[in-house]
């Protein structure tokens, strides 16, 4: 069958998962005419695994995406069935929102949003081949022989590349949820010289809602006053739906142990590397055999469906064993499986082949984002997606690219980790991966990134004005508290005693009073209220910025030191073989990663401080000639 | 990697009358100023030299008389602000000075770092580039080899044990943060964190006290020989030097200057300080010598008090006993070849718990007993060569002190009722600092710990 010319675009996005939709939307918003190609238009932003978005670190990514003008936060805010703020007992840096999603509604809402985007074309089709000429990607060819041409192409194929589903000893070629696997594209990438790895992930069975006896489980309700991901959301969803908690027991563990040989994970059928943070139930039983029980959360997949996700029971055991396991668990004795759990193996791109813009190093104009880059999780995918979209549009339209550094966003940490260190298992964001955790809070994502989103054209003028107002109010209120000296009146002393604090010895600035651990902004409101009607998020900011000032300042100092090295750029045409003295291992790593800055180079494992010193000396040689006569 | 203020001893250790401690960086002058008594160095003009005293600002104690050169950027070796402190060349005093500079905000320079900065700031010619690279490589490798050898022993085991304790705690907190709903992980409270922090704090303190022993092994036991004229001090010195054929490091100066010599007693290095006698004097020149002798007495780890068996105890002898009260000393009753006129009972009484031995140095008698007494005093008779791997360099001591500071900050944060994830910042910092001692600070090891310690995941 002959090929035909089907259209010319600035940017083409292959795939419409969580990375794909953000990429396509961001590129279109930046002004690029954008085509999004997906195998199945009914599966846009589908959640093949757990029905939830957010959580520690991940929830902050969602807020960052929103501050940059992305979609995930807005869409989940319209479609959640439950919202919870986690870690409320801890510091502000680790608090995180998590939503339970209505899966089908999320798909609908996302599709509707994308369809309304003027610069964006949605089309169904499976890409088989990239058009690469003279080291530059210029378009794609689909299964139905349509040729689409573009200046930039973004691949966001998730776990579809040479996907293989495994349940017990049964295995077949498939994408997630029995969709078609993408085989030809994987072969094409191999021909183009990509280094690929085989990763594995898995999902638990889904059971019928009315077959569960909830009386034997514990209720897990949402927050009474839900907060939201998007800074634009104003309306809360009131009728939230609870999740439920139950536990495995000795009998469950016996069943699993008796059938371990049948698990694809242990029979040797699975060759891919699975993530440690998302182990299958059989993995948990084997590795932590002394644990008497494991938690199982029952999570509804939506308002208009009977399907319930059995969180904690990811498995590749045969279907009949899955049934036995379920029925050993309190509340699930009569549970009927609607879909069985399975493991899935897939090809991923070794991410050190990418620049920090997510452009492929040896193919100009080609970008990859999402699970194809070795990550796991909807939020990690979406975070890469929006960055790839911004940068692919920049490439196509000759605009500025955007790289977020580790002190600006979790998205920056994620991408820097991927392209600098690579990953040998599906990568998940954790708060402990961020060295400036205290600066990367969920409450200040807008302060960190709205300006950037606005300059890129992803944030509306109206929202930007509101943001500027908020910033102004925070500043003014902080200044006001600096200017008020409170006398140790009986009234104030009583308040101090009521909140369990110590009595004041002397007068104190309102600002300094707020620094005391037991004093919240509410106390300030009682003692010296502002004349303005300040919004909750303004008060929150004022409190956090003042109360944790010492720690924040410490983190900022760390950042300043890092920035010095971050600003020492490595010339593009550097020849590592020409530098004498660098250790062999370091040389190989540097050649592979091609770090942009000395700071990035120093984060590569196997590159030690002596190598960095030598590198610095080498880079500065050019400057030395100019100044040596001074 | 940081462009902070660095310092190092820039003259070879133990050689020459003068040693130079050099500082370079933005805070070089302010740091020097903090410990300098004399002109205000912040105010003085560039490229000038100033006489004054180095004082320990906390103990308010005079350490040294020095000459300080102040050179402001950019016309300096590194093109940064540079201060050079010229002091007397004894190992102990130079190290003391270096420690003081470190305690006041400078960081110990990496091997070749001054040269590196000179290069990076465009001070060194292009043709020298290759040489600089070789230098960095060679010095770093050498330093690493030395460090690795040091780490084979007890220090690395101890530090690694402490790190393990800290990382388990940190991982525990991290799990609470990243998996807030997992109930099989107990919620780490500030109270629990405090216990752990205090436990590690105590052990780091202990390590630091061992550092003192390590320092003794590295720098020698500062030993002062005192006594009235003609009791046999010089004979003792000669006997010890002859016995060991030690390298003699004398500091040239006036005849009244302190002489330091190294001898080796059963594997223990003794750094002998002859104080040229202690007596009252009106002579101003001699007084400086006596003052410095007194100084040497206070700084000595061990004092050998020599008495004459052939004479009665004098008022001067009793004054000496008084002067060394509360210090570590051994009484040597010399000249047992002469008829005994000394009241031995009174001597024993004055010495209290300190050892008293007898010698006839002129006949080479009693040196064995002295050596045994010294060895007993410091190592209870036995010196395990494995102990040599104890904390013994300034960098390690500095890192341990910073670790204590970080743990202190954590305790303060706990007392202030800060959220646990903030308290944890300082605990993690302590773990990283200990990691710098053993050369491992990779963040990934925390994540590995997380997943091996806890059963996590959806």
């Amino acid at each position: 069958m002959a090929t035909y010319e089907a259209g010319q675009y600035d940017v083409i996005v292959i795939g419409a998962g969580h990375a794909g939709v953000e990429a396509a939307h961001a590129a279109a918003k930046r002004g690029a005419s954008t085509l999004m190609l997906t195998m199945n238009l009914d599966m846009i932003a589908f959640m093949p695994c757990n029905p939830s978005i957010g959580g520690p670190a991940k929830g902050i990514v969602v807020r960052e995406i929103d501050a940059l003008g992305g979609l995930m936060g807005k869409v989940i805010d319209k479609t959640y069935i439950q919202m919870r703020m986690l870690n409320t007992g801890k510091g502000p840096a680790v608090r995180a929102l998590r939503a339970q999603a209505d899966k089908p509604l999320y798909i609908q809402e996302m599709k509707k949003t994308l369809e309304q985007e003027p610069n964006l074309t949605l089309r169904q089709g499976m890409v088989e081949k990239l058009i690469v000429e003279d080291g530059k990607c210029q378009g794609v060819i689909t299964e139905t022989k349509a040729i689409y041409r573009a200046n930039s192409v973004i691949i966001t194929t998730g776990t579809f590349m040479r996907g293989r589903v495994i349940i017990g000893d049964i295995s077949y070629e498939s994408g997630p949820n029995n969709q078609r696997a993408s085989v030809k594209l994987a072969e094409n990438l191999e021909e183009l010289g990509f280094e690929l790895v085989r990763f594995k992930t898995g999902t638990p069975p889904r059971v019928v809602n009315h077959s569960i006896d909830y009386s034997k489980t514990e209720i897990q309700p949402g927050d009474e006053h839900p907060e939201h991901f998007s800074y634009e959301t104003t309306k809360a969803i009131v009728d939230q739906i609870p999740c439920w908690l139950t536990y495995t027991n000795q009998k469950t563990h016996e069943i699993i142990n008796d059938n371990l040989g049948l698990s694809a994970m242990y029979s040797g059928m699975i060759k891919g590397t699975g993530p440690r943070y998302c182990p299958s139930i059989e993995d948990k039983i084997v590795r932590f055999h002394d644990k008497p029980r494991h938690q199982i959360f029952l999570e509804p997949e939506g308002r208009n469906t009977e399907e319930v996700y059995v969180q904690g029971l990811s498995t590749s055991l045969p279907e009949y064993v899955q049934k036995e396991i379920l029925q050993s668990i309190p509340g699930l004795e009569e549970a009927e499986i609607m879909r069985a759990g399975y493991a899935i193996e897939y090809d991923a791109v070794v991410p050190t082949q990418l620049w920090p813009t997510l452009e492929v190093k040896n193919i100009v104009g080609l970008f990859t984002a999402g699970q194809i880059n070795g990550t796991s999780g909807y939020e990690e995918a979406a975070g890469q997606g929006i960055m790839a979209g911004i940068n692919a549009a920049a490439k196509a339209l000759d605009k500025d690219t955007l790289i977020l550094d580790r002190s600006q966003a979790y998205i920056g940490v994620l991408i820097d980790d991927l392209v600098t260190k690579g990953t040998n298992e599906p990568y998940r964001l954790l708060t402990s991966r961020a060295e400036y955790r205290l600066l990367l809070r969920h409450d200040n994502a807008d302060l960190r990134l709205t300006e950037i989103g606005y300059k890129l054209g992803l944030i509306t003028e109206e929202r930007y004005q509101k943001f500027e107002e908020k910033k102004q109010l925070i500043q003014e209120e902080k200044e006001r508290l600096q200017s008020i000296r409170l006398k140790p009146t009986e009234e104030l002393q009583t308040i101090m005693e009521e909140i369990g604090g110590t009595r004041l010895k002397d007068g104190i600035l309102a600002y300094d009073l707020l620094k005391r651990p037991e004093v919240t902004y509410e106390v300030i409101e009682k003692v010296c209220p502002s004349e303005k009607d300040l919004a909750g998020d303004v008060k929150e900011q004022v409190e956090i910025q003042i109360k944790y000032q010492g720690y924040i300042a410490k983190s900022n100092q760390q950042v300043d030191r890092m920035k010095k090295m971050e600003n020492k750029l490595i010339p593009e045409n550097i020849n590592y073989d020409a530098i004498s003295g660098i250790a062999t291992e370091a040389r190989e790593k540097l050649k592979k990663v091609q770090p942009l800055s000395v700071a990035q180079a120093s984060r590569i494992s196997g590159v030690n401080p002596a190598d960095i010193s030598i590198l610095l000396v080498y880079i500065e040689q050019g400057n030395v000639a100019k100044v040596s006569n001074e | 990697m940081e462009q902070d203020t660095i310092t190092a001893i820039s003259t070879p250790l133990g050689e020459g009358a003068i040693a130079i401690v050099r500082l370079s960086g933005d805070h070089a002058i302010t740091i020097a100023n903090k410990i300098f008594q004399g002109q205000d160095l912040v105010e003085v003009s560039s490229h000038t030299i100033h006489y004054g005293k180095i004082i320990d600002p906390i103990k308010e104690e005079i350490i040294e008389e020095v000459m300080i050169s102040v050179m402001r950027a950019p016309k300096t070796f590194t093109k940064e602000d540079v201060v050079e402190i010229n002091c007397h060349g004894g190992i102990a005093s130079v190290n003391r000075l270096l420690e003081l500079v470190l305690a006041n905000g400078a960081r110990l320079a990496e091997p070749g770092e001054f040269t590196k900065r000179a290069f990076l700031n465009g001070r060194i010619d292009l043709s020298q580039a290759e040489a600089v690279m070789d230098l960095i490589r060679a010095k770093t490798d050498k330093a690493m080899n030395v460090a690795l050898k040091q780490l084979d022993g007890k220090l690395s085991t101890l530090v690694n044990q402490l790190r393990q304790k800290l990382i388990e705690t940190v991982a525990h907190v991290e799990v609470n943060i990243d998996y807030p709903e997992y109930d099989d992980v107990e919620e780490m409270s500030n109270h629990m964190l405090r216990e752990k922090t205090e436990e590690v704090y105590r052990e780091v303190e202990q390590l630091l006290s061992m550092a003192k022993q390590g320092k003794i092994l590295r720098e020698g036991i500062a030993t002062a020989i005192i006594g009235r004229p003609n009791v046999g001090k010089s004979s003792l010195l000669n006997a010890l030097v002859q016995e060991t054929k030690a390298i003699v490091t004398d500091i040239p100066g006036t005849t009244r200057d302190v002489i330091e010599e190294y001898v080796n007693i059963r594997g223990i290095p003794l750094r002998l300080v002859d104080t040229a006698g202690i007596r009252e004097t009106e002579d101003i020149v001699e007084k400086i010598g006596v003052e410095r002798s007194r100084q040497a007495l206070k700084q000595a780890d061990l004092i050998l008090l020599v008495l004459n068996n052939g004479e009665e105890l004098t008022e001067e002898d009793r004054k000496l006993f008084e002067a060394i009260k509360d210090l570590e000393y051994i009484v040597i009753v010399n000249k047992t070849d002469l008829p005994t006129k000394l009241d031995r009972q009174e001597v024993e009484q004055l010495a209290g718990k300190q050892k008293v031995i007898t010698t006839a140095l002129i006949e080479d008698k009693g040196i064995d007993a002295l050596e045994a007494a010294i060895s007993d005093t410091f190592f209870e008779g036995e010196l395990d060569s494995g102990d040599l791997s104890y904390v013994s360099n300034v960098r390690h001591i500095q890192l341990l002190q910073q670790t204590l500071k970080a743990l202190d900050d954590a305790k303060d944060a706990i007392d202030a009722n800060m959220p646990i994830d903030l308290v944890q910042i300082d605990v993690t910092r302590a773990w990283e600092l200990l990691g710098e001692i053993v050369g491992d600070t990779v963040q990934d090891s925390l994540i590995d710990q997380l997943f091996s310690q806890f059963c996590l995941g959806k």
Side-chain angles (χ1 to χ4, degrees):
Chain A
M1 200 169 115
T3 56
Y4 78 103
E5 291 290 335
Q8 168 82 39
Y9 297 86
D10 291 324
V11 175
I12 294 172
V13 180
I14 307 170
H18 302 282
V21 295
E22 295 291 353
H25 173 257
K29 277 279 185 226
R30 261 206 112 171
S33 66
T34 306
L35 171 71
M36 185 170 77
L37 283 165
T38 170
M39 280 183 210
N40 187 342
L41 276 172
D42 296 328
M43 303 292 267
I44 286 176
F46 174 64
M47 301 184 196
C49 201
N50 56 324
S52 76
I53 282 179
K58 289 161 169 276
I60 303 177
V61 169
V62 181
R63 285 230 160 148
E64 289 173 353
I65 292 168
D66 186 69
L68 286 170
L71 294 177
M72 184 173 248
K74 287 193 191 94
V75 175
I76 186 63
D77 281 353
K78 285 183 189 162
T79 57
Y80 65 90
I81 62 168
Q82 183 193 109
M83 190 71 86
R84 271 185 83 178
M85 184 68 80
L86 305 172
N87 284 335
T88 48
K90 301 193 182 78
V94 298
R95 274 168 223 156
L97 257 187
R98 192 189 55 207
Q100 294 300 134
D102 186 320
K103 279 189 182 181
L105 209 57
Y106 190 85
I107 293 175
Q108 265 182 37
E109 185 61 35
M110 186 63 83
K111 187 166 180 238
K112 191 174 90 186
T113 309
L114 293 174
E115 284 168 349
Q116 285 163 0
E117 192 56 49
N119 268 335
L120 180 58
T121 306
L122 277 60
R123 196 151 296 172
Q124 189 158 297
M126 185 195 274
V127 171
E128 287 193 344
K129 202 172 179 319
L130 302 173
I131 303 168
V132 177
E133 280 161 22
D134 304 327
K136 190 179 177 316
C137 188
Q138 305 188 327
V140 301
I141 305 174
T142 68
E143 188 179 36
T144 50
K145 304 303 170 204
I147 295 178
Y148 294 98
R149 297 192 186 271
N151 297 322
S152 299
V153 173
I154 309 171
I155 312 177
T156 66
T157 47
T159 61
F160 281 78
M161 285 211 307
R162 277 195 282 233
R164 176 160 290 274
V165 160
I166 304 124
I167 307 173
D169 58 354
I170 298 154
S171 109
Y172 51 91
E173 192 171 85
S174 170
N177 200 33
N178 287 349
Q179 298 183 81
R180 294 171 65 200
S182 174
V183 178
K184 292 239 168 91
L185 184 60
E187 287 168 2
N188 185 226
L189 290 186
E190 227 159 35
E191 283 163 25
L192 289 169
F194 271 86
E195 193 186 339
L196 303 175
V197 282
R198 200 85 176 135
F199 278 169
K200 169 254 160 188
T201 186
T203 194
R206 277 51 153 192
V207 297
V208 183
N209 179 36
H210 66 248
S211 69
I212 300 171
D213 179 359
Y214 287 113
S215 69
K216 294 182 180 164
T217 65
E218 297 162 30
I219 192 163
Q220 305 274 301
D223 289 343
E224 206 175 324
H225 303 288
E227 286 199 40
H228 295 95
F229 285 105
S230 174
Y231 292 91
E232 289 181 45
T233 300
T234 48
K235 228 172 81 190
I237 292 173
V238 282
D239 55 333
Q240 296 188 51
I241 298 175
C243 296
W244 304 85
L245 171 63
T246 180
Y247 297 91
T248 63
N249 51 43
Q250 280 312 314
K251 196 176 166 211
T252 320
H253 300 183
E254 270 165 35
I255 297 168
I256 292 165
N257 277 321
D258 289 348
N259 291 286
L260 214 50
L262 301 172
S263 162
M265 278 305 294
Y266 287 88
S267 65
M269 276 195 70
I270 290 178
K271 304 212 166 50
T273 313
R276 280 173 299 176
Y277 50 82
C278 191
S280 59
I281 185 71
E282 46 268 40
D283 242 0
K284 292 188 205 175
I285 305 290
V286 171
R287 285 183 51 215
F288 297 92
H289 49 84
D290 51 345
K291 286 243 177 297
R293 62 178 200 177
H294 294 275
Q295 286 170 311
I296 301 291
F297 290 94
L298 303 171
E299 306 177 350
E301 296 226 327
R303 286 173 196 279
N304 301 309
T305 172
E306 279 287 300
E307 278 191 85
V308 174
Y309 180 90
V310 187
Q311 201 233 90
L313 216 60
S314 171
T315 180
S316 61
L317 283 160
E319 204 171 282
Y320 72 91
V321 183
Q322 292 187 24
K323 192 176 172 186
E324 264 184 73
I325 291 171
L326 280 170
Q327 294 184 347
S328 72
I329 297 171
L332 299 177
E333 294 88 345
E334 306 290 324
E336 283 172 37
I337 296 181
M338 283 180 84
R339 305 180 202 212
Y342 60 85
I344 183 166
E345 273 192 315
Y346 55 97
D347 282 358
V349 165
V350 172
T352 49
Q353 297 170 98
L354 309 174
W355 296 116
T357 55
L358 296 178
E359 187 176 17
V360 176
K361 280 173 189 162
N362 57 9
I363 302 177
V364 175
L366 182 63
F367 296 74
T368 62
Q371 208 153 357
I372 187 179
N373 286 345
T375 60
S376 155
Y378 312 141
E379 304 83 353
E380 285 88 341
Q384 292 171 67
I386 192 169
M387 296 305 289
I390 288 167
N391 288 321
K395 195 86 187 179
L397 305 174
D398 205 16
K399 290 185 174 177
D400 287 342
T401 55
L402 174 67
I403 297 170
L404 296 175
D405 71 41
R406 301 182 72 90
S407 68
Q408 277 177 301
Y410 270 97
I411 296 174
V413 173
L414 163 73
I415 294 176
D416 183 64
D417 276 352
L418 288 175
V419 303
T420 306
K421 295 179 182 156
T423 180
N424 47 22
E425 67 179 324
Y427 178 102
R428 176 193 164 149
L429 261 180
L430 298 162
T431 63
S432 49
R433 295 196 197 267
E435 54 275 64
Y436 314 114
R437 179 158 79 188
L438 189 57
L439 303 180
L440 306 183
R441 306 186 306 272
H442 86 124
D443 62 77
N444 71 352
D446 59 338
L447 296 170
R448 290 185 275 128
L449 302 169
T450 306
E451 184 96 43
I452 296 172
Y454 175 67
K455 283 188 179 146
L456 294 170
L458 272 70
I459 294 285
T460 61
E461 187 63 42
E462 187 196 348
R463 174 164 168 191
Y464 185 66
Q465 288 312 325
K466 269 195 188 158
F467 164 73
E468 285 286 303
E469 262 168 52
K470 175 180 170 183
K471 250 173 44 178
Q472 179 76 22
L473 287 170
I474 294 168
Q475 192 52 37
E476 282 170 9
E477 180 60 2
K478 278 166 71 180
E479 281 164 15
R480 187 181 77 88
L481 297 183
Q482 281 275 27
S483 70
I484 297 175
R485 179 163 285 278
L486 298 167
K487 293 198 180 98
T489 58
E490 243 350 274
E491 188 201 349
L492 182 53
Q493 300 287 29
T494 316
I495 291 174
M496 289 307 291
E497 272 166 21
E498 272 170 11
I499 59 173
T502 45
R503 287 174 68 92
L504 299 168
K505 289 198 190 85
D506 247 322
I508 186 170
L509 285 180
Y511 190 91
D512 291 329
L513 185 70
L514 188 50
K515 276 189 186 167
R516 295 193 169 200
E518 67 277 6
V519 177
T520 60
Y521 187 83
E522 269 176 55
V523 174
I524 297 289
E525 276 185 308
K526 273 191 219 162
V527 184
C528 54
S530 167
E531 284 169 15
K532 292 181 181 140
D533 183 22
L534 296 177
D537 58 344
V538 172
K539 296 178 197 167
E540 183 190 29
Q541 248 351 275
V542 169
E543 179 176 330
I544 291 172
Q545 288 184 16
I546 293 176
K547 196 174 279 306
Y548 303 108
Q549 193 190 32
Y551 283 99
I552 291 170
K554 240 194 224 177
S555 293
N556 278 325
Q557 281 166 11
Q558 262 181 294
V559 172
D560 287 344
R561 289 198 291 259
M562 175 198 71
K563 282 273 163 74
K564 283 192 179 164
M565 285 295 136
E566 212 72 65
N567 293 337
K568 281 209 186 299
L569 300 182
I570 298 175
E572 221 173 293
N573 54 0
I574 193 164
N575 178 3
Y576 290 106
D577 286 325
I579 310 174
S580 63
I582 289 189
T584 312
E585 188 198 353
R587 190 190 306 278
E588 292 312 312
K589 290 269 178 72
L590 287 165
K591 278 161 79 174
K592 189 171 180 182
V593 175
Q594 299 178 56
L596 299 181
S597 69
V598 174
Q600 193 192 349
S602 70
R603 288 192 290 268
I604 301 171
S605 53
V607 175
N608 67 42
D611 299 312
I612 293 297
S613 300
I614 290 165
L615 182 62
L616 272 169
V617 168
Y618 184 84
I619 293 168
E620 296 292 329
Q621 276 186 354
N623 302 333
V624 170
K626 283 176 232 153
V627 292
S628 58
N629 293 331
E630 278 177 20
Chain B
M1 300 296 292
E2 301 163 5
Q3 292 302 309
D4 40 14
T5 298
I6 54 171
T7 184
I9 301 169
S10 56
T11 41
L13 265 190
E15 293 163 30
I18 298 285
I20 297 174
V21 171
R22 180 189 278 159
L23 291 89
S24 176
D26 294 348
H27 301 295
I29 296 169
T30 48
I31 291 169
N33 208 29
K34 272 195 251 176
I35 58 168
F36 183 67
Q37 205 173 57
Q39 268 181 286
D40 185 350
L41 299 177
V42 178
E43 298 296 325
V44 303
S45 27
S46 186
H47 292 76
T48 52
I49 187 157
H50 308 275
Y51 167 81
K53 292 186 175 113
I54 293 294
I55 44 156
D56 182 333
I58 293 165
K59 294 182 188 157
E60 292 180 357
E61 185 183 341
I62 296 169
I63 308 293
E64 262 280 26
E65 292 170 30
V66 298
M67 300 293 285
I68 284 193
S69 313
V70 174
M71 291 158 281
R72 294 180 201 282
K75 284 188 178 172
T76 68
F77 176 56
T78 55
K79 286 203 157 191
E80 301 171 336
D81 285 354
V82 169
V83 170
E84 288 183 355
I85 308 175
N86 298 256
C87 64
H88 293 90
I91 295 176
S93 59
V94 181
N95 269 329
R96 183 103 190 262
L97 176 56
L98 181 66
E99 279 167 28
L100 203 58
V101 171
L102 291 171
N104 281 280
R107 169 174 69 73
L108 198 64
E110 310 271 341
E113 199 172 358
F114 284 99
T115 319
K116 190 176 101 187
R117 285 195 177 190
F119 188 89
L120 294 184
N121 293 327
R123 176 70 173 66
I124 297 181
D125 195 77
L126 178 62
S127 60
Q128 289 171 269
E130 287 294 316
V132 173
M133 286 187 205
D134 290 347
L135 187 77
I136 294 168
R137 175 94 263 162
K139 283 201 173 178
T140 314
D141 281 353
K142 199 175 162 197
M144 262 171 69
N145 281 339
V146 171
L148 283 177
K149 267 187 200 144
Q150 220 158 7
L151 290 174
D152 283 339
K154 275 187 187 166
L155 175 63
S156 67
T157 316
L158 288 171
V159 169
N160 281 327
Q161 279 168 3
L162 291 178
R163 294 195 83 217
Q164 187 59 29
K165 273 184 201 168
L166 288 178
I167 200 174
E168 277 172 17
T169 316
V170 169
H172 195 145
V173 177
E174 291 299 333
V175 157
N176 291 158
I177 291 168
D178 276 321
Y179 297 88
E181 286 168 327
Y182 274 75
D183 67 347
D184 40 357
V185 181
E186 191 187 354
E187 182 84 20
M188 177 70 97
S189 64
N190 267 353
H191 179 72
M192 286 158 69
L193 195 59
R194 179 173 193 118
E195 266 174 35
K196 283 278 175 194
T197 308
E198 278 175 351
E199 186 184 324
V200 175
Y201 187 94
R202 279 193 298 272
E203 290 182 50
V204 173
E205 261 186 338
Q206 222 173 344
L207 260 181
L208 266 172
S209 74
M210 280 199 285
K212 204 184 156 202
Q213 208 177 43
K215 236 172 106 183
I216 284 171
L217 293 172
R218 185 170 47 94
E219 292 170 5
I221 298 170
T223 309
I225 300 175
I226 61 169
R228 286 184 293 117
N230 297 321
V231 291
K233 297 196 297 291
S234 299
S235 311
L236 177 61
L237 185 67
N238 289 336
L240 287 171
V241 171
Q242 264 175 13
E243 184 77 5
T244 62
K245 290 180 189 130
I247 308 154
V248 175
T249 318
D250 65 339
I251 299 167
T254 66
T255 49
R256 282 289 167 210
D257 231 327
V258 176
I259 297 170
E260 289 184 6
E261 313 204 22
Y262 275 89
V263 299
N264 200 318
I265 303 292
R266 300 186 178 186
I268 305 167
L270 239 55
R271 187 158 43 81
L272 294 175
V273 186
D274 181 15
T275 57
I278 288 188
R279 44 201 158 98
E280 303 291 326
T281 172
E282 297 299 307
D283 185 299
I284 199 80
V285 181
E286 287 212 346
K287 195 177 177 187
I288 292 168
V290 170
E291 273 307 307
R292 293 197 55 195
S293 298
R294 283 196 194 283
Q295 212 60 43
L297 266 190
K298 269 189 216 160
Q299 282 171 21
D301 302 310
L302 173 67
I303 292 156
L304 302 178
L305 170 60
V306 188
L307 302 174
N308 187 345
N309 184 53
E311 290 172 15
E312 283 179 22
L313 212 60
T314 67
E315 207 41 47
E316 217 174 332
D317 287 329
R318 290 191 185 93
K319 263 190 192 165
L320 286 172
F321 268 110
E322 185 62 30
I324 59 177
K325 210 175 87 179
D326 299 330
L327 299 176
E328 194 81 57
Y329 63 92
I330 296 171
V331 180
I332 299 162
V333 178
N334 191 28
K335 305 195 183 181
T336 50
D337 47 313
L338 301 179
T340 302
K341 288 191 183 165
L342 196 72
D343 182 348
R344 295 286 289 274
Q345 224 173 343
E346 191 186 349
V347 171
E348 292 281 350
Q349 216 172 358
L350 285 167
K353 283 179 188 167
Q354 306 290 347
K355 296 185 182 69
V356 180
I357 58 146
T358 55
T359 58
L361 289 167
I362 203 124
E363 295 173 356
D364 281 342
K365 282 181 186 161
I367 290 289
D368 280 359
L370 175 60
E371 289 182 356
I374 293 171
S375 178
D376 277 355
T377 305
F378 284 88
F379 297 98
E380 288 166 359
E382 264 176 71
L383 180 55
D384 177 3
S385 63
D387 291 346
L388 285 166
S389 59
Y390 277 178
V391 198
S392 64
N393 79 40
V394 179
R395 191 182 76 92
H396 291 166
I397 292 173
Q398 189 194 7
L399 286 167
L400 286 173
Q401 276 162 347
Q402 286 175 12
T403 306
L404 277 190
K405 171 82 173 63
L407 292 171
D408 237 356
D409 287 350
K411 286 197 286 182
D412 286 349
I414 292 168
D415 290 340
N417 227 342
M418 282 288 174
I420 197 158
D421 50 294
L422 294 182
V423 176
Q424 138 125 348
I425 291 174
D426 289 311
V427 180
T428 309
R429 178 80 192 128
W431 174 70
E432 283 169 0
L433 286 164
L434 290 173
E436 278 181 43
I437 295 178
V438 293
D440 169 32
T441 49
V442 189
Q443 196 74 8
D444 289 346
S445 46
L446 169 61
I447 286 158
D448 290 340
Q449 181 70 28
L450 215 84
F451 291 120
S452 60
Q453 199 174 337
F454 301 102
C455 175
L456 303 163
K458 295 198 161 187

